[in-house]
């Protein structure tokens, strides 16, 4: 059975991911932050939140297809 917290986490994570793919960084940041408010330390939400902050400051090029390319190991 899925808990209410897990449902809320998934709802905000999925909304955040959809906004991320649309390049709507502020909306995505809000949803990933709400996901982390529900479940602090959620790894995927933390990672996408960091990416959104980076992309808001330095947007990817027009040909961006949603893929994140690591530049360091």
């Amino acid at each position: 059975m899925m808990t209410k917290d897990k449902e809320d986490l998934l709802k905000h994570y999925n909304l955040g991911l959809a906004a991320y793919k649309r390049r709507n960084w502020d909306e995505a940041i809000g949803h990933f932050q709400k996901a982390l408010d529900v479940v602090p330390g959620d790894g995927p939400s933390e990672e996408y939140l960091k990416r959104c902050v980076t992309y808001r400051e330095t947007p990817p090029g027009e040909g961006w297809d949603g893929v994140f390319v690591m530049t360091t190991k």
Side-chain angles (χ1 to χ4, degrees), residues 7-64:
E7 285 179 21
D8 288 346
L9 167 72
L10 290 173
K11 177 181 96 171
H12 289 295
Y13 177 82
N14 286 325
L15 289 169
L17 191 56
Y20 172 86
K21 290 178 180 177
R22 291 191 315 270
R23 302 169 63 117
N24 189 333
W25 313 124
D26 290 329
E27 181 183 341
I29 287 168
H31 284 296
F32 291 127
Q33 187 58 62
K34 286 179 183 175
L36 289 166
D37 290 344
V38 174
V39 179
D42 178 62
S45 295
E46 287 179 337
E47 183 59 35
Y48 274 104
L49 178 62
K50 284 189 249 178
R51 290 179 188 181
C52 289
V53 169
T54 298
Y55 283 152
R56 181 173 60 183
E57 295 169 9
T58 309
E62 289 302 315
W64 182 72

